[in-house]
Amino acid sequence: MYQITCPHCGPRAQTEFTYERTTDSVVDPAGDAQTAMQALYTRANPMGLDDEIWRHTYGCRAWMVLTRHRVSHEIHAVKAIGPEALP
Amino acid sequence: MSGPTRVPSGEETIEFTFDGTSYHARQGDTLAAALLANGIGLVGRSFKYHRPRGIMTAGIEEPNALVTVGTGGRAEPNTRATDVFVYPGMVAKSQNRWPSLSFDVASIFGLAAPALGAGFYYKTFFGPAKHWLRYEGFIRRAAGLGNAPTEPDPDNFSQSAGFCDVLVVGAGPAGLKAALDAAEAGKRVWLVEQDAVPGGSLLRDPDPAIDPGAMVERIEALGGKVFLRTTASGYWDHNFLTLSQRLVEPGAVPPHGFAQRLWHVRAGRVVLATGLIERPVPFANNDHPGVMLSQAVRSYVRRWGVVPGKRVVIATNNDDAYLTATALVEAGAEVVALLDARASGPAAPAGVTVYHDARPASVSGRKHALRKVTAVIGGSEQSFDADLIAVSGGFVPVSHLHMQAGGKLEWNVEAQAFIPGSNPQVCETVGSALAPPPAPAVAPAGKAKKSFVDFQNDVSLADIDLAWQEGYRSVEHLKRYTTLGMATDQGKTSNMVALSRLAEKQGVTVPEAGLTTFRPPFTPVTMGLLAGAGARNAGAHVRRIPLHALHEAHDPIWQPLGYWFRPRAYPVNGETLQQAALREARTVRTAAGLSDVSTLGKFEVSGPDAAKLLELVCATTVGKLAVGRGRYTFMCREDGFVNDDGTVWRLAENRYLLTSSTGGADRMAHFMSYVRNSLRPELKCSVVNVQEYYGGIALAGPKARGILAALTGAEPPRHMGYAPGMLAGVPVHVLAASYSGERAFEIHVEASHAAAVWQAIEAATRAEGGAPYGLEAMELLRIEKGHVVVGGEVDGRSTPQDLGLGGMLNKAGGFIGAAGLTRPALSDPNRNNLVGLVSLDGPIPEGGMLIQRAGQSPQGHVTAAARRIIEGGAIALALLQGGHHRHGEELIVTSPTRGEKARVRVTSPHFYDPAGERYRD
Amino acid sequence: MKTPYSAFSLLRGALNGQKHWEPAWRDPEPKASYDVIIIGGGGHGLATAYYLAKVHGIRNVAVLEKGWIGGGNVGRNTTLVRSNYRLPQLHNFFEFGLKLWHGLSDDLNYNVMFSPRGAMFLGHNDGDMIKLAERGDAMRCDGIDAELLTPKQIAKIEPLLDLSRTARFPIDGALIQWRAGTARHDAVAWGYARAADALGVDIIQKCEVTGFVKDGNRIIGVETSRGRILAGRTGICVAGHSGHVAGLAGLRLPIESQTLQALVTEGVKPMVQSVVMSQSLHFYISQSDKGGIVMGGDPDNWPSYARRGQPTIKEHAIAQAVTCMPALSRLRMLRTWSGVTDMSFDGSPIIGPSPIDGLYLNAGWCYGGFKATPASGWTYAHTLATGKPHALNAPFSLERFMTGATIDETSVGPFPNHR
């Protein structure tokens, strides 16, 4: 069980978080259909680092991007996203 | 008289039974110590050949002495006799024998052993699978170990979370020191020890300079916590460990109802002081009672005052076993020979004859002890009369947790052992695990066939050789083909012996031969403990609607819906569910009914960009909605299939309420949050999940408008209109939405006031000849009306067009799912479309398949079946291939699993008031 | 010619110390080129090689395995074999396989211990029971066995289930497929390997594919840790790591890798007769021949290639199993393991040509690949032999995600973690 450092709450148990999707699979509803389906249906799925969108669902409910290693489970970076993180 | 003994001291005050006979034990005895003290050497039978087995070790690595402890629902099968402390009244039974331990019929399997080597079952029992099933029945009954209890477990298991700066595993000398050092440095320290007392190896080899009890007191005085009978069983990511703590011994009645506690611990740093496990020595019949590990012998002598043999042979390849010779001599036993495989060794105690270049080749014995040990000394054989052989084949560092944490191992040639190396987590190993005594490799001297390596699973050197011969050469193949290391001891005593043999066969060093993976748990963990409180409710809490108590008073039939429970029907006068539902539905059609809809998903969306957000989420247009108006809507997934449906209402200029289905409410909440916060953070709006903030009451029927007008003192909004109001002195939202097909309202009210509103509406409704209705009546009503339900017609594989909702799609696009909907297969004319079915004969089986003639592959299925509420006659909703264009066709609904059939005509799904005239006032 | 396996030969071995057995498969050096290369020496890859040789007469075949054969998911599953799917594409495919399972031990001359002890889905309310009936009816109409059970009938098969009405999830009935059951997972890999090897297939272990050899838009071979090997056709068959291997060819797949955990308890005398699963809960249990209760639950719901799981996921599945079968409470979890699963984006596999000439895909098995081994091997062999899909695997094309013809049994949509 990982420990994820929520940008708003600090280090918390993984059980409080849910994985949503990788950042490159975000579908832009205003974009064209072909690009949308490519984003939805293909993944790099690397045996290494990927940028993933997670949510502190059973905590502050905020969203963040984890740069996480898919084999070692090491979390290299956590970045807040969402309205709170807007400039 | 020979075999294990203990000099009575009068302290044998604890009475227990083993296989029905009463014995006495001393305080602090393990069952193994107590059995040996009572002269019992034969304790169990092996798994495959049912060979007689005794006690080989004094710890958790014990492969042989497995017993069932406790009775009834508390009985714990496969308990290691070396890992349970005797308590008054303890009931222990031997396992895997019939009719008795000393006469086990299944031991004839041993005679067939030459044909039953590794993997024999892969080579025989051919024929159809059904034949194998029959052979398998015999094999299954012969296999297995103890019996599972059949009564419910009377005890509870608790789970707790913990945090500490330093977690020390093992309260031997190294662990005690590490814990005390950390505590003195001001750290929050946890020290866990699987034994009942601290000390570890000190219990066997006391050191006057170290007082474990005093050290524990000091650690606790500094604020540290010391957990005895607690095993660190799993080491997971980011220094997260699971500890299993025994609050009482197996089978004992826990004083506070809790038998064990599971700890989930996050530690800043982990110190592993897990010590060593001794390696057995392979020789013929090395599994016989009376063959014991050298350190175990020393433990029994020094810690428990039990002398496991009177005439003892010691066989070793290292210096440590010489200490056992000393202990035995001190205890008055005779060490008839010390066989040292090496050319030289340290000085032996006086009177002990040491033989160098000496290896045990075979033993023979009687029921509880040995009779003879035969050794190869130099090049020649020599036999000794002995009742016990204490063996040491070297030592294996306990590196399980280190490996679970992702640590590396280093090969130590002198000790022929893997030693913990670097670790990617904040974890270090200390103590003897880093420094096993030198112990050179020794070639086995006995016959391979009876030289056991994995004792419990009866894997011998010959089995390893056979696996090699047949090409199962990777260490994992070897393990899987022979079942080596897969018994309840998880190979703690066998892995290294086997690996040495494999390396020898391959002509490589042991590390080159490879190593199997170490995975949790370190020692087996009780399932009830892992389940915790969830053992009672599957880990699924019960969600209660705000009006639960009010409904309860009507004694309804409850319907589970996810974790919710909702009234399914309110039977009166002994009505069946169906009778009650039909009565309730008729009441709605003819007068009025009220129903609890509190579990609907509800989201309040506010702000200048609220409409923009809703036009993303909803596949229908929202922006043009006037204040005080609402409309039906549905939401698609990004792949274009319908995800959920509900209604959307414009409460004020920049304030909307979106409702969605009960079943999809949690999914929708997550989705709404994703869209609002992650996908479109720049939008100026807020989304608040108000599902449980409001209680919801549906009021439906031709008299609903009148009832509501009287209760609120205001003209209710027209169909699909919204108005705030006061009812029973409470502010309410009135949404004129209809699911039933009647003029109807949803009244949403702050949950804590819902009871008053319900009671007022119920009284008024009953006064008008109405009644409450449950989910079953709601089903009848909505099926007749042709409304879809999420989880039914909205099955996650339907498009808006499939469901006849295509016309409502937002023509401008831009909503989530619009892109997915452009894919060609989503507009295939042969897709499953929503249709109605009218029965031409009897009831239509729900879930049944639609076919044109018998023997045909189904063309669709019935999603919901009902009867016309007033008119009678069976109807149904169905998804049918190309169904939009098949109205009027005659088909068969068939349900082979229930033996039911009906002839049906395909129709429009809207059976009731298709023009919506009943919505008009 | 290898010594055939038989009871007689075993008895003969009893007299000679079983010295007459040859290695179950050779350990050949890779040749410079093959007609077909299969990447991945798991159950599916070995089965594919066997059927290529046996059914299509293509024997110049290599199976390349980076570690030891059978070390992937065929050696890490819960050994369940069944064809009780709701959707016709799936149940027809798996039923074809189930028929092969029933004769597999004889076909391979290797007892894979396929044991048709029945697999039941429990229903916990009327809604569950309708869904189970729907599934059973769909199967029955397509000629596949399925039977609804009442609680009384369930009690006869599994008396230790909590069949009381006060249970948190009361058991209202079940759908059983009697012809379903369990098999000895490792034996499946070994049996196919031995039989394929006997037909001339080269099984090459410790041979990791590190890249593809391309000629224009055509794959003509692979680079491996043991050198370049050329091939007429190359088939990827590495479920769990499909994303990684396809990535070496520049493909992005509708697949995310997840960890799926399983566990076994200490052995006990027979207590679970069939395979028990649940329509509403997420656990499945069966008892192995050695007496251990084998069980699994939900996957770890995030991408990972690590073969280690998250403990609370397992604890949740255990809580569900103990609730339904309280007698499990005092058993002990002995061993846990994890597999890396290819979670496809509709929950169904992908078997067929890839967008690159000469390269074929067998991937996306989610957590249900073991039972598919014979059918997967059969249809993939057909595809590799003819360049075209077999009728049974035609629906499982890679294009279906772009065209929308997804096969979504659990109807959850494109995100495996929402499943």
Side-chain angles (χ1 to χ4, degrees):
Chain A
M1 181 154 78
Y2 322 149
Q3 190 166 46
I4 297 173
T5 303
C6 170
H8 308 288
C9 311
R12 291 290 185 275
Q14 181 193 4
T15 42
E16 297 181 14
F17 297 80
T18 44
Y19 165 72
E20 169 61 27
R21 61 178 80 190
T22 53
T23 52
D24 62 359
S25 56
V26 171
V27 178
D28 179 3
D32 71 278
Q34 181 67 17
T35 312
M37 291 303 101
Q38 286 289 346
L40 196 59
Y41 283 114
T42 67
R43 295 288 188 283
N45 199 23
M47 285 183 75
L49 292 175
D50 209 342
D51 291 329
E52 304 168 346
I53 301 175
W54 287 66
R55 183 188 182 211
H56 195 184
T57 308
Y58 307 100
C60 70
R61 301 182 190 172
W63 294 79
M64 61 207 72
V65 172
L66 264 57
T67 305
R68 192 178 64 95
H69 198 282
R70 297 274 176 89
V71 183
S72 73
H73 291 171
E74 202 180 323
I75 298 166
H76 288 244
V78 185
K79 193 181 86 186
I81 55 171
E84 306 87 346
L86 289 178
Chain B
M1 183 68 191
S2 68
T5 55
R6 172 192 258 174
V7 180
S9 71
E11 295 163 29
E12 288 80 7
T13 53
I14 301 177
E15 196 176 341
F16 70 100
T17 68
F18 177 64
D19 279 348
T21 306
S22 277
Y23 299 97
H24 287 86
R26 290 181 196 170
Q27 183 64 40
D29 277 356
T30 59
L31 176 62
L35 290 172
L36 289 169
N38 285 284
I40 297 168
L42 171 65
V43 175
R45 290 275 171 177
S46 70
F47 179 79
K48 185 169 168 186
Y49 301 136
H50 288 242
R51 289 169 67 91
R53 292 287 162 80
I55 293 158
M56 202 177 86
T57 74
I60 51 90
E61 67 271 33
E62 176 61 39
N64 288 336
L66 302 184
V67 297
T68 298
V69 176
T71 56
R74 279 195 189 92
E76 290 196 21
N78 309 336
T79 302
R80 295 173 296 269
T82 51
D83 186 29
V84 52
F85 290 86
V86 181
Y87 52 88
M90 184 169 104
V91 176
K93 288 194 191 89
S94 60
Q95 309 181 148
N96 203 32
R97 78 290 183 269
W98 185 86
S100 75
L101 185 55
S102 45
F103 179 73
D104 179 12
V105 167
S107 60
I108 56 160
F109 288 136
L111 298 177
L116 306 183
F120 79 91
Y121 27 74
Y122 300 131
K123 300 189 179 108
T124 183
F125 305 121
F126 290 107
K130 277 202 172 146
H131 290 191
W132 164 247
L133 192 59
R134 208 169 308 144
Y135 307 129
E136 196 186 27
F138 292 103
I139 293 175
R140 287 165 78 93
R141 281 191 289 280
L145 294 162
N147 286 301
T150 51
E151 293 162 44
D153 194 330
D155 297 336
N156 293 306
F157 297 87
S158 96
Q159 298 191 343
S160 299
F163 303 87
C164 60
D165 296 322
V166 182
L167 176 71
V168 181
V169 181
L176 285 165
K177 180 175 186 312
L180 185 54
D181 286 351
E184 284 175 340
K187 304 290 184 194
R188 290 180 300 172
V189 174
W190 281 30
L191 172 61
V192 301
E193 169 56 52
Q194 61 199 5
D195 206 330
V197 285
S201 63
L202 295 166
L203 300 168
R204 173 184 73 229
D205 298 315
D207 180 344
I210 308 176
D211 180 349
M215 289 174 86
V216 162
E217 274 175 33
R218 178 89 185 117
I219 292 163
E220 287 179 332
L222 289 164
K225 289 184 179 170
V226 179
F227 296 86
L228 299 173
R229 287 306 267 152
T230 302
T231 305
S233 52
Y235 196 141
W236 314 87
D237 284 315
H238 300 179
N239 263 19
F240 184 80
L241 288 92
T242 37
L243 318 178
S244 28
Q245 180 181 19
R246 279 205 179 273
L247 301 172
V248 292
E249 289 302 310
V253 181
H256 304 294
F258 288 92
Q260 298 184 45
R261 177 172 293 129
L262 182 73
W263 290 95
H264 289 146
V265 181
R266 184 87 62 185
R269 185 161 68 92
V270 174
V271 179
L272 302 174
T274 42
L276 301 165
I277 286 176
E278 199 160 27
R279 254 170 87 155
V281 176
F283 52 84
N285 298 326
N286 61 335
D287 59 328
H288 198 279
V291 179
M292 200 177 271
L293 293 176
S294 159
Q295 286 194 341
V297 170
R298 211 151 83 228
S299 291
Y300 287 113
V301 171
R302 292 243 177 92
R303 178 172 173 186
W304 287 292
V306 176
V307 186
K310 292 203 177 57
R311 290 176 54 79
V312 187
V313 171
I314 294 171
T316 184
N317 65 345
N318 59 72
D319 290 356
D320 184 85
Y322 285 69
L323 302 174
T324 303
T326 306
L328 282 165
V329 169
E330 281 171 8
E334 185 187 349
V335 177
V336 296
L338 196 161
L339 310 171
D340 192 330
R342 301 169 298 176
S344 63
V352 173
T353 312
V354 178
Y355 299 85
H356 289 288
D357 189 18
R359 297 164 295 158
S362 71
V363 298
S364 60
R366 48 186 151 244
K367 190 168 150 190
H368 290 292
L370 297 183
R371 205 189 299 269
K372 192 172 79 173
V373 174
T374 304
V376 176
I377 300 169
S380 55
E381 278 199 359
Q382 192 174 335
S383 290
F384 303 91
D385 288 334
D387 55 4
L388 178 76
I389 181 168
V391 300
S392 179
F395 296 89
V396 182
V398 178
S399 54
H400 301 67
L401 293 171
H402 169 77
M403 293 292 283
Q404 289 178 24
K408 298 265 183 291
L409 294 178
E410 287 163 12
W411 179 242
N412 180 313
V413 180
E414 289 71 35
Q416 289 288 299
F418 286 106
I419 289 168
S422 64
N423 195 305
Q425 304 207 34
V426 189
C427 169
E428 62 181 314
T429 299
V430 299
S432 59
L434 292 177
V442 175
K447 282 206 176 90
K449 213 181 279 175
K450 296 236 165 123
S451 295
F452 287 91
V453 179
D454 184 311
F455 294 89
Q456 196 181 117
N457 275 354
D458 288 318
V459 180
S460 69
L461 289 177
D463 291 313
I464 296 172
D465 297 351
L466 179 62
W468 168 262
Q469 174 193 325
E470 295 194 67
Y472 300 90
R473 293 177 182 183
S474 109
V475 60
E476 283 285 351
H477 283 160
L478 171 71
K479 166 182 139 186
R480 289 154 183 265
Y481 193 65
T482 62
T483 73
L484 184 128
M486 298 174 92
T488 63
D489 58 315
Q490 288 263 51
K492 290 193 176 66
T493 54
S494 62
N495 276 350
M496 285 308 296
V497 180
L499 209 49
S500 302
R501 185 70 163 197
L502 182 67
E504 188 191 318
K505 284 270 167 193
Q506 287 189 7
V508 298
T509 63
V510 172
E512 285 172 297
L515 191 65
T516 56
T517 322
F518 290 84
R519 287 184 292 254
F522 171 58
T523 51
V525 181
T526 305
M527 295 282 276
L529 174 64
L530 294 163
R536 302 270 182 262
N537 65 2
H541 52 272
V542 171
R543 290 177 84 174
R544 287 211 163 149
I545 47 182
L547 301 174
H548 187 91
L550 270 182
H551 297 305
E552 192 67 49
H554 291 306
D555 195 19
I557 297 172
W558 289 100
Q559 163 87 37
L561 211 76
Y563 289 178
W564 294 106
F565 285 82
R566 291 177 64 182
R568 190 173 180 187
Y570 303 86
V572 292
N573 304 327
E575 282 173 328
T576 63
L577 169 69
Q578 283 72 24
Q579 290 164 342
L582 191 59
R583 172 184 50 76
E584 291 168 9
R586 280 189 180 138
T587 308
V588 173
R589 285 275 182 263
T590 56
L594 77 164
S595 187
D596 191 322
V597 295
S598 299
T599 59
L600 285 180
K602 295 179 279 295
F603 302 91
E604 222 172 274
V605 184
S606 332
D609 288 338
K612 258 190 211 165
L613 181 86
L614 286 166
E615 292 222 310
L616 269 178
V617 169
C618 299
T620 62
T621 53
V622 176
K624 289 175 195 147
L625 210 55
V627 174
R629 297 295 298 163
R631 65 176 301 176
Y632 173 78
T633 188
F634 53 90
M635 308 79 170
C636 290
R637 293 192 309 239
E638 284 164 290
D639 60 2
F641 296 101
V642 180
N643 193 22
D644 212 320
D645 72 345
T647 51
V648 60
W649 307 83
R650 192 168 189 179
L651 308 182
E653 178 64 23
N654 286 333
R655 186 163 164 241
Y656 294 81
L657 181 71
L658 175 69
T659 71
S660 64
S661 74
T662 296
D666 293 343
R667 183 176 64 208
M668 187 54 63
H670 187 78
F671 178 66
M672 292 290 286
S673 176
Y674 169 73
V675 176
R676 191 269 164 278
N677 295 300
S678 183
L679 189 64
R680 284 289 177 264
E682 73 285 357
L683 290 183
K684 290 182 172 50
C685 66
S686 75
V687 177
V688 181
N689 180 355
V690 292
Q691 181 191 19
E692 293 181 57
Y693 176 77
Y694 289 118
I697 299 157
L699 174 63
K703 295 186 176 172
R705 179 178 146 267
I707 293 167
L708 192 61
L711 285 169
T712 57
E715 180 58 24
R718 65 193 166 89
H719 184 61
M720 295 317 284
Y722 158 79
M726 294 293 287
L727 201 162
V730 178
V732 296
H733 293 293
V734 177
L735 313 175
S738 173
Y739 192 51
S740 57
E742 300 299 331
R743 183 83 159 97
F745 305 91
E746 279 174 23
I747 297 124
H748 293 283
V749 48
E750 202 251 298
S752 59
H753 294 134
V757 175
W758 171 276
Q759 281 164 328
I761 299 176
E762 186 183 345
T765 303
R766 286 194 188 275
E768 292 290 334
Y773 65 101
L775 284 178
E776 201 64 20
M778 204 182 285
E779 270 294 285
L780 295 176
L781 293 161
R782 74 95 190 169
I783 292 168
E784 194 173 48
K785 180 65 186 171
H787 279 157
V788 295
V789 70
V790 174
E793 295 73 30
V794 182
D795 64 355
R797 298 186 282 261
S798 308
T799 65
Q801 292 90 343
D802 293 342
L803 300 170
L805 304 170
M808 292 180 64
L809 281 168
N810 187 344
K811 305 281 180 303
F815 59 89
I816 288 171
L821 275 171
T822 63
R823 294 180 295 168
L826 276 74
S827 47
D828 186 325
N830 211 29
R831 293 187 59 80
N832 283 342
N833 301 148
L834 177 70
V835 294
L837 304 175
V838 174
S839 175
L840 304 176
D841 40 38
I844 302 171
E846 199 161 287
M849 295 295 123
L850 280 162
I851 53 173
Q852 286 168 313
R853 58 186 177 279
Q856 196 187 35
S857 217
Q859 301 186 349
H861 71 278
V862 176
T863 55
R867 50 159 292 162
R868 293 299 305 265
I869 294 163
I870 306 294
E871 300 89 332
I875 54 167
L877 298 177
L879 290 168
L880 175 66
Q881 285 172 9
H884 290 329
H885 308 290
R886 295 174 70 173
H887 293 188
E889 219 176 288
E890 265 187 44
L891 293 171
I892 301 165
V893 175
T894 178
S895 173
T897 60
R898 291 165 290 187
E900 292 169 17
K901 241 180 210 176
R903 283 191 312 120
V904 294
R905 179 171 296 118
V906 179
T907 67
S908 149
H910 307 294
F911 302 98
Y912 183 74
D913 185 28
E917 287 172 15
R918 298 188 62 89
Y919 296 151
R920 291 172 204 139
D921 292 327
Chain C
M1 187 62 198
K2 283 176 196 169
T3 313
Y5 287 170
S6 70
F8 174 76
S9 208
L10 264 177
L11 288 174
R12 190 182 128 212
L15 305 174
N16 73 5
Q18 307 290 349
K19 293 277 189 285
H20 62 305
W21 302 113
E22 302 90 351
W25 51 85
R26 295 164 295 128
D27 184 18
E29 283 301 313
K31 293 192 271 189
S33 80
Y34 290 91
D35 293 341
V36 178
I37 280 178
I38 296 158
I39 305 171
H44 291 216
L46 294 163
T48 304
Y50 171 67
Y51 292 121
L52 269 173
K54 186 187 169 215
V55 178
H56 302 278
I58 300 174
R59 299 181 174 205
N60 185 26
V61 173
V63 177
L64 309 182
E65 167 54 48
K66 78 171 168 182
W68 38 281
I69 60 165
N73 291 335
V74 72
R76 296 170 183 278
N77 54 76
T78 47
T79 79
L80 309 186
V81 174
R82 56 185 177 90
S83 65
N84 52 1
Y85 284 81
R86 166 66 186 90
L87 297 180
Q89 301 96 319
L90 289 163
H91 64 223
N92 290 334
F93 180 89
F94 284 101
E95 175 61 16
F96 177 80
L98 187 55
K99 289 195 177 110
L100 291 175
W101 275 110
H102 274 259
L104 196 57
S105 293
D106 277 358
D107 185 26
L108 300 178
N109 180 233
Y110 201 110
N111 185 0
V112 300
M113 302 187 197
F114 172 63
S115 165
R117 50 188 53 257
M120 64 166 84
F121 274 100
L122 303 175
H124 303 281
N125 51 54
D126 284 359
D128 278 2
M129 291 314 298
I130 301 275
K131 287 281 175 209
L132 291 174
E134 179 189 322
R135 183 196 293 241
D137 289 342
M139 292 163 62
R140 288 276 287 270
C141 285
D142 283 336
I144 303 168
D145 80 300
E147 197 182 310
L148 285 173
L149 298 177
T150 63
K152 242 183 208 158
Q153 292 170 308
I154 296 171
K156 281 200 186 122
I157 305 163
E158 300 297 352
L160 294 177
L161 282 171
D162 180 358
L163 289 153
S164 67
R165 298 309 305 161
T166 51
R168 173 67 179 86
F169 291 92
I171 295 169
D172 280 359
L175 181 75
I176 193 163
Q177 181 176 35
W178 281 110
R179 290 163 56 252
T182 57
R184 172 84 183 100
H185 56 348
D186 293 324
V188 176
W190 301 337
Y192 273 118
R194 177 169 166 273
D197 175 272
L199 293 173
V201 170
D202 280 357
I203 295 167
I204 302 163
Q205 304 186 81
K206 293 184 190 160
C207 179
E208 181 173 2
V209 169
T210 53
F212 288 89
V213 186
K214 262 192 160 179
D215 180 10
N217 185 40
R218 187 173 181 83
I219 299 281
I220 56 161
V222 292
E223 303 286 357
T224 79
S225 55
R226 295 172 70 167
R228 172 177 289 198
I229 311 173
L230 298 181
R233 287 184 174 136
T234 303
I236 296 177
C237 201
V238 295
H241 292 71
S242 301
H244 172 70
V245 175
L248 297 175
L251 285 177
R252 281 168 64 106
L253 300 180
I255 285 174
E256 227 164 44
S257 295
Q258 284 184 356
T259 302
L260 179 67
Q261 309 183 65
L263 64 97
V264 64
T265 69
E266 294 180 340
V268 287
K269 296 292 178 191
M271 67 179 286
V272 179
Q273 171 58 33
S274 61
V275 177
V276 180
M277 297 166 281
S278 161
Q279 175 76 17
S280 290
L281 302 171
H282 298 275
F283 72 91
Y284 33 97
I285 54 176
S286 64
Q287 188 166 18
S288 78
D289 286 343
K290 289 176 68 192
I293 305 297
V294 182
M295 69 162 284
D298 279 332
D300 290 14
N301 245 339
W302 52 89
S304 173
Y305 280 102
R307 281 176 178 158
R308 61 180 187 279
Q310 214 271 65
T312 56
I313 301 272
K314 212 160 22 216
E315 287 160 16
H316 186 63
I318 292 170
Q320 297 192 334
V322 173
T323 306
C324 290
M325 191 176 279
L328 295 172
S329 180
R330 291 284 167 142
L331 268 50
R332 299 196 196 97
M333 177 177 84
L334 169 63
R335 197 165 57 240
T336 62
W337 63 93
S338 301
V340 180
T341 57
D342 266 10
M343 298 304 292
S344 76
F345 288 4
D346 63 356
S348 296
I350 300 161
I351 322 173
S354 81
I356 304 173
D357 292 343
L359 185 67
Y360 295 80
L361 281 174
N362 179 324
W365 289 97
C366 300
Y367 30 81
F370 176 68
K371 67 176 95 67
T373 307
S376 167
W378 186 286
T379 56
Y380 199 33
H382 178 99
T383 308
L384 282 164
T386 64
K388 293 188 189 73
H390 185 278
L392 284 168
N393 67 307
F396 300 105
S397 70
L398 179 63
E399 295 85 65
R400 72 177 186 271
F401 297 96
M402 288 302 157
T403 63
T406 45
I407 303 165
D408 194 353
E409 173 89 359
T410 54
S411 70
V412 172
F415 291 95
N417 46 305
H418 293 171
R419 228 163 270 284

